[in-house]
Structures are given as structure tokens and as C-alpha cells.
Amino acid sequence: MTTARRAADATPLITETDLPPAAHFVDGAFAGASGDGVIDVVDPCTEKVIARVPAGTSQDVDRAVAAAAAAKEQWARRVPRERSEVLHAIADRLAENSEPLARLESANTGKPLAVSRDDVGQAVDTFRFMAGAVRATTSLAAGDYAEDHLSVILREPLGVIGVVTPWNYPLLMAAWKIAPILAAGNTLVLKPSEQTPLTTLKFAELVADLLPAGVLNVVNGYGPVVGARLAEHPDIDMIALTGSVNSGRAVARTAAESLKRVHLELGGKAPVVVFPDADLTAAAQALRVAGFWNSGQECGAACRVLVHESVAEQFVEQLVGEVKTLVVGEPAAGEKVEVGPMVSKAHFDRVTGYLERAQKEGIRAATGGGALDGPGYFIAPTVLVDVPEGAEAARQEIFGPVITVETFTEEDEAVRRANDVPFGLSASVWTENARRSHAVAARLDFGTVWVNSHLVLASEVPWGGFKGSGYGRDLSIYALDDYSRTKHVMHHHGR
Ligand code: NAD
């Protein structure tokens, strides 16, 4: 029976002095809030309040937007080399502080330290990649495309970007936005998730002396107040949100009023299509990580297996064998911990609700299936089998440590069913057959498709979805494109 490992001694991950200032970061300084509302920040392992941050208001947003607007011209005028140097300095600063940042992230989210350390490492790499990429942008060659008219394509920043980030990778999702936004010459106002603001505030504290005042601003608060004002603000040129489909819809609807650009990275429900010729051992081992990384609170998680009926029994046995070995616990319980708690009570209730309803429908948990003893919002790593086509657990984003297994008979059926979800973020195909590895990948309606792998990302390659998973790309030069605009300047040089 799985239990959650607890920290053996009372050494906490962080102390008071590791916390960032509990304030908004506006115009280069931490400042008081306009209202007196506060938000409790909770450690999901202990259910105790570890910090309190101000709940921002529209006035706080307006002040931050004014600062970002005032700073935009000067920042945009810096040549790529200068912006690149600042981004490298930010990367260095993050790298120097990687251990305190990882511990702070784990204290706020309950993530195993291995996950938090990986997050910080990837955040550093995102800044380094964008620092390099912005110095090597390409576009159509300047030339005469109409007689006696020289065309030059300029790439310009958009201006002020509003950013809203989620709780599952607080620092990393902030880095995925901040790095390309700054590299492309924009300024920004970022609202972290009200549940996980600590590493974003720490980031602002760490890099405050590296950026001109107003270039980066952080306003804490709730989505329907601070996020909604960012989406609505007339001086914001684009709103970028990583979060749920509902929040994406709300932001896009509001943004439509001012016709500002919208960049959305939303939910996922990644199918894992396993053909009979696949290396089943490799697939099961990969899913042990890709299904449960960040406790399954991962938009690209390998959460929905579609396995050919002829190998289903063998595959499920191997998968369950792997999942049973996962070590669940508090991050402070040691390096071996691989799966932490759900981030909040509300999310814990959501995930356990899916598990209860699935089991009521006759779906069987081959391992796991429910909550672990508290305190903390721990759920046992779960594999649900005998899942019928169309079941809620296989169509909706559970966002927890849960893999569902369905079976299929024909290749066409596998493709149809894999695509039959409202999301289109990522998927994987497992086969040793060369034709199938391309043909099936090409027919899957997802922004990333892995072949014989799952959840491997790199700063050079784009990340983003289709359909209900939103539009716009994080990482890669495509993010730089998204956060800038092309201008065509045409010179008539005939006489
Ligand atoms: P959420 O939508 O509840 O919250 C995300 C952010 O949006 C928070 O900062 C929240 O305060 C804000 N928000 C909520 N309502 C808003 C509104 N009306 N207007 C403006 N902002 C609003 O999502 P979450 O629970 O924090 O994160 C989990 C979701 O994020 C999952 O669906 C997951 O798939 C998705 N996600 C996607 C990616 C990706 O790259 N596609 C990455 C991480 C998370």
C-alpha cells in the first residue's frame, strides 16, 4: 500500500528569510498595494499558510501598465546585443540561486526537489536560448519585389504584454513568457497564479538591478480581477495566458473588445498510442515518468493510453509494475521522492472526484485509485483500466497522477479516437514500424507528437497546441515571432 513519505526531521525547506517581499513589483520596486485584501499561500504538504501576498486591484494593474508603457520605448531601442546581455545576466543570476529557488518552489507547490531543480535549470536555459536567438533572427531578404521599390521587413516589439501564469510550473512558465517577451523588446506586467506567487516574486527580487525600472512588473491577485484587467487594459498590446480552457476563453473574450493579440497555452489530454510492434518495456518505463512528472499536474502528461488489444494485457501488467514503484512524499522527505501532493485542496477534490466517478462507472483501478492519508493533498499514482470509449476520465483533463488505459483494434480507429478530445497539445506514438511512425504522427491533431518518447522538451523547439489547447507558441524562435510584429517599409527609388 502506498503511503506518503514524510520529512524525518523538522528541517523545513525554507525559512522566513528565504521568502520574497510580500508585495507587488512595479516600476522597479516592491510597493504597497492599493487595497487591503490578502491571499494566503499554502504549503500543500502540510496545509499550513507559509506566506501572505496582497490581492491586487485594477488600480494596481493600471499603475503597473503605466510603468511598463513608460519603459517600453527605451527598452525597445536597445540593440539585440544589449538585450541579450541582460538576458544572460538574468540566466546567471537564476543559476547562482538555483537551490534556494528550487526549495522555494517545492515549499509552495509540494513538488519533489528533483522536479523543482529541473524547472530552474530549464528556466535558465530558456533565458540563454532567447539571449542567443534574438541576435540571429531572419526574415525575407530585402530587395525589389515591385519594380523600383525596395522592400525591407522590420521586426518590431509589440509594446506592453500582459501575462497570466498557472500554478503547476510557476517559475518555469514565467520564464517561458518573460524571456522571449524581453528578448523581442517588449515590456510586461505579469500576474502569477494566486496560489503560487513566491518564485515569481523571488525572480523579480533577484533580477531587479539587471532591468530598467518598469520593464518587468508583477501584480499579485485573482484571475477575474487582475487577469481580467490585464486582458481589458487599452494600453496592453497582447495578453498571454497559460492556464485552463475556461480562463483562456474569458481572456480571449475580453481581449476581443480592444482587439489586442492573444496568446494561449491551455489544457491537454495527451494520448499515448501503443501499437503491437512497440517496445512495450520502453513505453512502460517512459510512462512511469511522463505520466507522473510533477504529480501528473502537467499539460503534456502521458495520461491517456490507447493500446492495441493484442498486447493490452501484457502492457498493463508492465505499466502497473512500473507505477507501483513510484515514491510519493513531501519534497523534504529526501531525494528519492518522485511524486508530491496536488497543489491545493480544491484541486485535490477535483482529482479525487474524477476517480470516484470513474470507479462508480465500473472503471477499475489496477493500482492506486484514491487519496493517501493526510495531512497534505496526496493521491496515489493510479492506472485506470477497462476504460470504455468516451468515458469522462479519458476525455477530460484530470491533471493528477492518473493514467487511463483503453484498447483499440485498427490503426484508423486508434487515430480517430486519439483525436477525439477537445484538446490538441501533445501526443505520442509507440511503434517500431517506420511507415506507421510517420503516417500516424502526421494524422494526429496535436502541436507536439513524440515517436517512441513522451514529454521531452527543448528550448529550440516550439511548444503549443491546437483546438482547445489554444494558439501561440512558447519556446523556440516561434515565440520570438509571436511577441513581435512585422512591418514592411517600401522605398521608391526610381526616377
Ligand atoms: P487556471 O486557468 O485556473 O489559472 C491560470 C491563471 O489564470 C491563474 O493565474 C489564474 O488566476 C488566471 N485566471 C483565472 N481566471 C481568469 C480570468 N477570468 N481572467 C484572467 N485570468 C484568469 O489554471 P491553473 O489551474 O492555474 O493551471 C492549470 C491549467 O493550466 C491546466 O488546464 C493546464 O493544462 C494548463 N497549463 C497549460 C500549459 C501549456 O503549456 N499548454 C502549461 C501549464 C499549464
Side-chain angles (χ1 to χ4, degrees):
M1 158 89 200
T2 314
T3 50
R5 280 197 196 180
R6 305 290 169 173
D9 55 36
T11 314
L13 282 176
I14 55 162
T15 62
E16 284 274 314
T17 55
D18 298 314
L19 291 170
H24 307 309
F25 180 75
V26 174
D27 208 11
F30 284 96
S34 68
D36 46 17
V38 287
I39 300 173
D40 288 343
V41 180
V42 175
D43 173 350
C45 293
T46 61
E47 306 181 31
K48 295 206 169 103
V49 175
I50 53 170
R52 287 194 170 86
V53 296
T57 62
S58 287
Q59 290 91 311
D60 293 324
V61 174
D62 292 356
R63 215 161 53 76
V65 174
K72 74 178 178 183
E73 208 178 303
Q74 191 209 17
W75 182 248
R77 285 223 318 263
R78 294 210 184 180
V79 296
R81 177 181 55 74
E82 292 171 318
R83 277 186 252 133
S84 172
E85 281 167 1
V86 173
L87 264 67
H88 275 304
I90 293 174
D92 291 343
R93 194 63 64 81
L94 289 183
E96 285 155 18
N97 290 278
S98 51
E99 192 56 19
L101 279 167
R103 296 176 87 79
L104 187 62
E105 194 75 303
S106 284
N108 193 169
T109 59
K111 280 172 196 255
L113 278 168
V115 178
S116 294
R117 287 178 183 141
D118 188 76
D119 289 0
V120 180
Q122 286 199 47
V124 170
D125 192 59
T126 306
F127 278 96
R128 293 218 192 287
F129 172 77
M130 292 300 168
V134 73
R135 300 186 68 178
T137 49
T138 53
S139 75
L140 179 75
D144 285 14
Y145 296 98
E147 196 177 329
D148 291 338
H149 285 75
L150 171 68
S151 287
V152 179
I153 304 293
L154 302 179
R155 216 166 233 293
E156 300 181 336
L158 294 171
V160 179
I161 316 281
V163 177
V164 179
T165 54
W167 48 258
N168 61 342
Y169 293 98
L171 179 69
L172 184 57
M173 291 303 103
W176 279 17
K177 306 294 185 205
I178 297 170
I181 286 172
L182 294 184
N186 307 282
T187 59
L188 73 147
V189 180
L190 185 151
K191 188 201 90 62
S193 166
E194 59 277 18
Q195 297 170 61
T196 56
L198 299 184
T199 47
T200 306
L201 293 171
K202 194 74 187 172
F203 174 90
E205 185 186 18
L206 288 172
V207 307
D209 64 315
L210 302 175
L211 287 165
V215 170
L216 166 73
N217 304 275
V218 180
V219 178
N220 302 287
Y222 293 107
V225 180
V226 174
R229 179 62 183 151
L230 289 172
E232 161 191 84
H233 202 293
D235 296 335
I236 287 192
D237 301 283
M238 180 195 235
I239 178 90
L241 174 136
T242 296
S244 62
V245 176
N246 277 343
S247 307
R249 219 176 260 133
V251 157
R253 210 180 284 126
T254 306
E257 277 303 313
S258 57
L259 285 176
K260 60 171 58 74
R261 293 187 190 207
V262 180
H263 190 281
L264 298 173
E265 298 284 354
L266 308 177
K269 183 80 184 175
V272 177
V273 187
V274 183
F275 286 98
D277 58 87
D279 180 340
L280 300 183
T281 305
Q285 287 170 350
L287 263 58
R288 181 185 187 280
V289 179
F292 299 93
W293 185 255
N294 206 34
S295 317
Q297 301 169 123
E298 155 66 61
C299 43
C303 57
R304 182 185 174 218
V305 171
L306 283 154
V307 57
H308 192 268
E309 59 184 4
S310 64
V311 292
E313 199 180 322
Q314 186 192 343
F315 182 66
V316 167
E317 193 182 315
Q318 284 187 275
L319 178 63
V320 169
E322 290 289 341
V323 173
K324 279 187 168 159
T325 66
L326 283 164
V327 179
V328 183
E330 300 178 359
E335 306 285 324
K336 289 214 170 88
V337 172
E338 296 171 291
V339 177
M342 301 296 93
V343 77
S344 64
K345 175 75 166 65
H347 188 53
F348 170 88
D349 289 345
R350 223 181 127 252
V351 175
T352 50
Y354 276 116
L355 291 176
E356 279 158 23
R357 287 194 296 280
Q359 288 168 87
K360 261 193 209 135
E361 282 170 29
I363 294 171
R364 185 167 63 85
T367 184
L372 298 177
D373 283 347
Y377 311 125
F378 293 96
I379 293 178
T382 297
V383 178
L384 296 178
V385 295
D386 308 331
V387 178
E389 184 175 356
E392 178 195 62
R395 279 185 62 78
Q396 292 189 18
E397 187 182 40
I398 298 177
F399 222 56
V402 182
I403 290 182
T404 60
V405 183
E406 300 162 75
T407 57
F408 68 88
T409 313
E410 302 292 337
E411 183 174 308
D412 280 351
E413 178 202 356
V415 172
R416 175 184 64 73
R417 285 175 52 194
N419 285 334
D420 187 22
V421 280
F423 305 101
L425 188 58
S426 62
S428 62
V429 186
W430 294 80
T431 179
E432 297 291 304
N433 176 312
R435 177 203 62 78
R436 197 177 256 158
S437 71
H438 177 68
V440 173
R443 292 171 68 197
L444 288 175
D445 211 4
F446 297 84
T448 294
V449 180
W450 292 278
V451 178
N452 297 329
S453 188
H454 199 112
L455 211 57
V456 177
L457 280 78
S459 300
E460 292 81 354
V461 289
W463 178 254
F466 304 146
K467 304 194 311 195
S469 297
Y471 40 83
R473 292 292 174 266
D474 281 327
L475 301 175
S476 79
I477 53 167
Y478 299 100
L480 278 180
D481 283 355
D482 284 354
Y483 294 120
S484 58
R485 62 187 191 187
T486 51
K487 180 185 280 176
H488 172 212
V489 181
M490 193 179 233
H491 303 256
H492 178 224
H493 56 79
R495 287 187 182 273

